[in-house]
Amino acid sequence: KAGVTQTPRYLIKTRGQQVTLSCSPISGHRSVSWYQQTPGQGLQFLFEYFSETQRNKGNFPGRFSGRQFSNSRSEMNVSTLELGDSALYLCASSLVGTNYNEQFFGPGTRLTVL
Amino acid sequence: QKEVEQNSGPLSVPEGAIASLNCTYSDRGSQSFFWYRQYSGKSPELIMFIYSNGDKEDGRFTAQLNKASQYVSLLIRDSQPSDSATYLCAVNGGQAGTALIFGKGTTLSVSS
Protein backbone atom coordinates (compact mmCIF):
# COMPACT_ATOMS: atom_id res chain seq x y z
CA LYS A 1 0.00 0.00 0.00
CA ALA A 2 1.42 3.36 -0.96
CA GLY A 3 2.17 5.74 1.87
CA VAL A 4 1.27 9.38 2.32
CA THR A 5 2.58 11.55 -0.47
CA GLN A 6 3.25 15.26 -0.36
CA THR A 7 4.10 17.67 -3.12
CA PRO A 8 6.22 19.56 -3.68
CA ARG A 9 9.04 18.31 -1.49
CA TYR A 10 10.89 21.62 -1.48
CA LEU A 11 9.77 25.19 -2.01
CA ILE A 12 11.51 28.53 -1.91
CA LYS A 13 9.34 31.63 -1.72
CA THR A 14 9.79 35.28 -0.81
CA ARG A 15 8.02 37.24 1.87
CA GLY A 16 4.51 38.31 0.94
CA GLN A 17 3.92 35.48 -1.53
CA GLN A 18 1.47 32.68 -0.99
CA VAL A 19 1.99 28.94 -1.27
CA THR A 20 -0.16 25.83 -1.68
CA LEU A 21 0.97 22.43 -0.47
CA SER A 22 -0.66 19.16 -1.40
CA CYS A 23 -1.14 15.88 0.46
CA SER A 24 -2.52 12.54 -0.70
CA PRO A 25 -3.38 10.22 2.19
CA ILE A 26 -3.00 6.47 2.32
CA SER A 27 -5.70 4.81 0.26
CA GLY A 28 -8.84 4.39 2.37
CA HIS A 29 -7.79 6.94 4.97
CA ARG A 30 -10.30 9.72 5.41
CA SER A 31 -8.63 11.98 7.98
CA VAL A 32 -5.79 14.31 7.08
CA SER A 33 -3.93 16.43 9.60
CA TRP A 34 -1.31 19.08 8.97
CA TYR A 35 1.61 19.94 11.21
CA GLN A 36 4.41 22.50 11.16
CA GLN A 37 7.85 21.48 12.41
CA THR A 38 10.52 24.01 13.31
CA PRO A 39 13.70 23.60 15.38
CA GLY A 40 12.46 26.02 18.01
CA GLN A 41 8.81 25.01 18.39
CA GLY A 42 8.95 21.37 17.39
CA LEU A 43 5.91 19.75 15.82
CA GLN A 44 2.76 21.83 16.09
CA PHE A 45 -0.74 20.93 14.96
CA LEU A 46 -2.23 23.17 12.27
CA PHE A 47 -5.59 21.61 11.41
CA GLU A 48 -7.39 18.38 10.65
CA TYR A 49 -9.84 17.55 7.91
CA PHE A 50 -12.28 14.69 7.89
CA SER A 51 -14.93 14.11 5.23
CA GLU A 52 -14.12 17.46 3.63
CA THR A 53 -14.75 19.36 6.88
CA GLN A 54 -12.24 21.03 9.14
CA ARG A 55 -12.74 19.32 12.47
CA ASN A 56 -9.91 20.76 14.55
CA LYS A 57 -7.70 23.80 14.30
CA GLY A 58 -4.49 24.64 16.07
CA ASN A 59 -3.29 28.00 17.27
CA PHE A 60 -2.12 29.49 13.99
CA PRO A 61 -3.14 32.75 12.31
CA GLY A 62 -5.79 32.89 9.63
CA ARG A 63 -3.08 33.09 6.95
CA PHE A 64 -2.95 29.32 7.28
CA SER A 65 -5.89 27.58 5.68
CA GLY A 66 -6.70 24.24 4.18
CA ARG A 67 -9.28 22.14 2.47
CA GLN A 68 -10.04 18.54 1.70
CA PHE A 69 -11.49 17.10 -1.46
CA SER A 70 -13.98 14.29 -1.90
CA ASN A 71 -11.15 11.83 -2.62
CA SER A 72 -9.60 12.77 0.78
CA ARG A 73 -6.69 14.60 -0.80
CA SER A 74 -5.91 17.79 1.05
CA GLU A 75 -4.24 21.09 0.39
CA MET A 76 -3.00 23.75 2.73
CA ASN A 77 -2.41 27.34 1.81
CA VAL A 78 -0.28 29.97 3.47
CA SER A 79 -0.86 33.53 2.36
CA THR A 80 1.34 36.58 2.88
CA LEU A 81 4.36 34.51 3.77
CA GLU A 82 6.62 35.61 6.61
CA LEU A 83 10.20 34.59 7.34
CA GLY A 84 8.97 32.66 10.37
CA ASP A 85 6.88 30.41 8.15
CA SER A 86 10.04 28.64 7.04
CA ALA A 87 9.51 25.11 8.29
CA LEU A 88 8.89 21.50 7.42
CA TYR A 89 5.18 21.03 6.77
CA LEU A 90 3.98 17.53 7.46
CA CYS A 91 0.77 15.87 6.51
CA ALA A 92 -0.51 12.82 8.38
CA SER A 93 -3.34 10.51 7.47
CA SER A 94 -5.41 8.18 9.60
CA LEU A 95 -8.10 5.67 8.79
CA VAL A 96 -11.18 7.12 10.42
CA GLY A 97 -10.02 9.98 12.55
CA THR A 98 -11.03 9.08 16.08
CA ASN A 99 -8.88 9.70 19.12
CA TYR A 100 -7.45 6.21 18.82
CA ASN A 101 -6.37 6.12 15.22
CA GLU A 102 -2.71 6.03 14.47
CA GLN A 103 -1.45 8.78 12.20
CA PHE A 104 1.07 8.15 9.45
CA PHE A 105 3.21 10.98 8.19
CA GLY A 106 4.24 11.86 4.70
CA PRO A 107 7.78 12.94 3.78
CA GLY A 108 6.96 16.60 4.27
CA THR A 109 7.38 19.79 2.28
CA ARG A 110 10.39 21.91 3.21
CA LEU A 111 9.37 25.58 2.80
CA THR A 112 12.01 28.28 2.84
CA VAL A 113 10.86 31.90 2.92
CA LEU A 114 13.46 34.48 1.87
CA GLN B 1 -2.18 25.06 27.73
CA LYS B 2 -1.85 21.35 27.07
CA GLU B 3 1.77 20.27 27.20
CA VAL B 4 3.92 17.23 26.61
CA GLU B 5 7.35 17.24 28.20
CA GLN B 6 10.39 15.20 27.26
CA ASN B 7 14.06 15.45 28.20
CA SER B 8 15.83 16.73 25.12
CA GLY B 9 18.90 14.59 25.74
CA PRO B 10 21.06 13.52 24.22
CA LEU B 11 20.63 10.13 25.81
CA SER B 12 23.70 8.06 25.12
CA VAL B 13 23.72 4.28 25.56
CA PRO B 14 26.13 1.56 24.41
CA GLU B 15 25.07 -0.99 21.84
CA GLY B 16 23.08 -3.81 23.43
CA ALA B 17 21.89 -1.75 26.40
CA ILE B 18 18.34 -0.72 27.30
CA ALA B 19 17.37 2.83 26.39
CA SER B 20 14.63 4.41 28.50
CA LEU B 21 12.75 7.41 27.15
CA ASN B 22 10.25 9.29 29.25
CA CYS B 23 7.37 11.65 28.67
CA THR B 24 4.86 13.47 30.87
CA TYR B 25 1.65 15.16 29.77
CA SER B 26 -0.58 17.75 31.33
CA ASP B 27 -4.07 16.92 30.04
CA ARG B 28 -5.79 14.26 32.16
CA GLY B 29 -8.37 13.81 29.40
CA SER B 30 -5.80 12.43 26.99
CA GLN B 31 -6.79 9.02 25.69
CA SER B 32 -4.10 7.79 23.34
CA PHE B 33 -0.34 8.00 23.34
CA PHE B 34 2.14 7.53 20.55
CA TRP B 35 5.87 7.21 20.08
CA TYR B 36 7.40 8.34 16.82
CA ARG B 37 10.99 7.99 15.68
CA GLN B 38 12.48 10.68 13.47
CA TYR B 39 15.81 10.35 11.73
CA SER B 40 17.60 13.54 10.80
CA GLY B 41 16.10 15.02 7.65
CA LYS B 42 13.22 12.55 7.60
CA SER B 43 9.59 12.61 8.70
CA PRO B 44 8.32 10.96 11.91
CA GLU B 45 7.68 7.23 11.79
CA LEU B 46 5.14 5.64 14.15
CA ILE B 47 6.74 2.90 16.23
CA MET B 48 4.35 2.34 19.15
CA PHE B 49 0.96 3.39 20.45
CA ILE B 50 -0.76 2.67 23.75
CA TYR B 51 -4.21 3.40 25.08
CA SER B 52 -4.49 1.46 28.35
CA ASN B 53 -2.53 1.57 31.58
CA GLY B 54 0.30 -0.92 31.75
CA ASP B 55 2.85 -2.24 29.30
CA LYS B 56 2.63 -2.97 25.60
CA GLU B 57 5.44 -4.86 23.89
CA ASP B 58 6.34 -4.98 20.21
CA GLY B 59 9.63 -6.66 19.40
CA ARG B 60 12.44 -4.74 21.09
CA PHE B 61 10.11 -1.90 22.06
CA THR B 62 7.93 -1.63 25.17
CA ALA B 63 5.60 1.27 25.83
CA GLN B 64 4.46 1.90 29.39
CA LEU B 65 1.53 4.07 30.41
CA ASN B 66 0.53 5.34 33.85
CA LYS B 67 -2.47 7.63 33.53
CA ALA B 68 -2.61 8.40 37.25
CA SER B 69 0.91 9.81 37.08
CA GLN B 70 0.36 11.21 33.55
CA TYR B 71 3.48 9.44 32.44
CA VAL B 72 4.36 7.41 29.38
CA SER B 73 7.67 5.78 28.58
CA LEU B 74 9.40 3.83 25.83
CA LEU B 75 11.97 1.14 26.49
CA ILE B 76 14.24 -0.04 23.69
CA ARG B 77 15.96 -3.33 24.47
CA ASP B 78 19.20 -4.46 22.82
CA SER B 79 19.77 -0.96 21.44
CA GLN B 80 21.42 -0.78 18.02
CA PRO B 81 23.29 2.08 16.34
CA SER B 82 20.39 2.22 13.87
CA ASP B 83 18.15 3.25 16.78
CA SER B 84 20.03 6.55 16.98
CA ALA B 85 17.34 9.13 16.23
CA THR B 86 15.02 11.62 17.89
CA TYR B 87 12.05 10.03 19.65
CA LEU B 88 8.88 12.04 19.80
CA CYS B 89 6.14 11.46 22.33
CA ALA B 90 2.67 12.46 21.14
CA VAL B 91 -0.60 12.65 23.00
CA ASN B 92 -4.06 13.09 21.54
CA GLY B 93 -5.56 16.38 22.52
CA GLY B 94 -8.66 14.90 24.08
CA GLN B 95 -10.84 16.45 21.38
CA ALA B 96 -12.81 14.49 18.86
CA GLY B 97 -10.48 13.82 16.03
CA THR B 98 -6.82 13.27 15.79
CA ALA B 99 -5.04 16.45 16.89
CA LEU B 100 -1.77 15.33 18.43
CA ILE B 101 0.31 17.33 20.86
CA PHE B 102 4.00 16.52 20.52
CA GLY B 103 6.87 16.80 22.91
CA LYS B 104 10.06 18.36 21.59
CA GLY B 105 11.70 14.96 21.41
CA THR B 106 14.60 13.10 23.00
CA THR B 107 17.71 12.48 20.95
CA LEU B 108 19.07 8.97 21.42
CA SER B 109 22.63 8.06 20.50
CA VAL B 110 23.65 4.39 20.51
CA SER B 111 27.39 3.81 20.30
CA SER B 112 28.92 0.64 18.88
Side-chain angles (χ1 to χ4, degrees), chain B residues 63-74:
Chain B
Q64 299 174 316
L65 175 61
N66 184 325
K67 288 186 178 180
S69 299
Q70 294 176 245
Y71 176 91
V72 58
S73 66
L74 179 70

Side-chain angles (χ1 to χ4, degrees), chain B:
Chain B
Q1 180 81 358
K2 299 172 183 175
E3 294 182 338
V4 176
E5 299 287 342
Q6 295 181 256
N7 289 328
S8 60
L11 173 65
S12 297
V13 300
E15 184 175 358
I18 295 175
S20 178
L21 305 160
N22 305 314
C23 171
T24 58
Y25 60 95
S26 63
D27 182 13
R28 285 194 172 274
S30 300
Q31 299 176 20
S32 51
F33 307 86
F34 304 87
W35 284 100
Y36 286 84
R37 177 175 62 197
Q38 186 172 27
Y39 293 111
S40 181
K42 301 293 186 182
S43 63
E45 172 194 9
L46 180 65
I47 53 172
M48 288 288 292
F49 58 90
I50 188 167
Y51 308 139
S52 304
N53 276 329
D55 295 359
K56 179 182 178 183
E57 187 175 315
D58 184 1
R60 296 187 296 114
F61 298 97
T62 298
Q64 299 174 316
L65 175 61
N66 184 325
K67 288 186 178 180
S69 299
Q70 294 176 245
Y71 176 91
V72 58
S73 66
L74 179 70
L75 300 178
I76 306 175
R77 290 180 300 280
D78 188 24
S79 294
Q80 301 297 309
S82 58
D83 294 326
S84 298
T86 297
Y87 288 79
L88 299 164
C89 173
V91 175
N92 91 298
Q95 311 161 359
T98 58
L100 291 179
I101 300 170
F102 281 83
K104 296 251 177 107
T106 298
T107 300
L108 172 66
S109 177
V110 182
S111 55
S112 57

Side-chain angles (χ1 to χ4, degrees), chain A residues 29-35 44-50 53-58 68 91-105, chain B residues 31-34 36 51 90-102:
Chain A
H29 284 198
R30 293 169 57 195
S31 170
V32 173
S33 297
W34 289 89
Y35 294 84
Q44 293 185 289
F45 172 75
L46 280 156
F47 30 64
E48 182 224 354
Y49 287 87
F50 179 71
T53 301
Q54 186 182 90
R55 184 160 60 174
N56 284 302
K57 189 177 189 308
Q68 187 180 33
C91 156
S93 79
S94 64
L95 187 60
V96 175
T98 67
N99 292 345
Y100 297 94
N101 267 188
E102 305 90 82
Q103 293 185 44
F104 300 92
F105 283 88
Chain B
Q31 299 176 20
S32 51
F33 307 86
F34 304 87
Y36 286 84
Y51 308 139
V91 175
N92 91 298
Q95 311 161 359
T98 58
L100 291 179
I101 300 170
F102 281 83

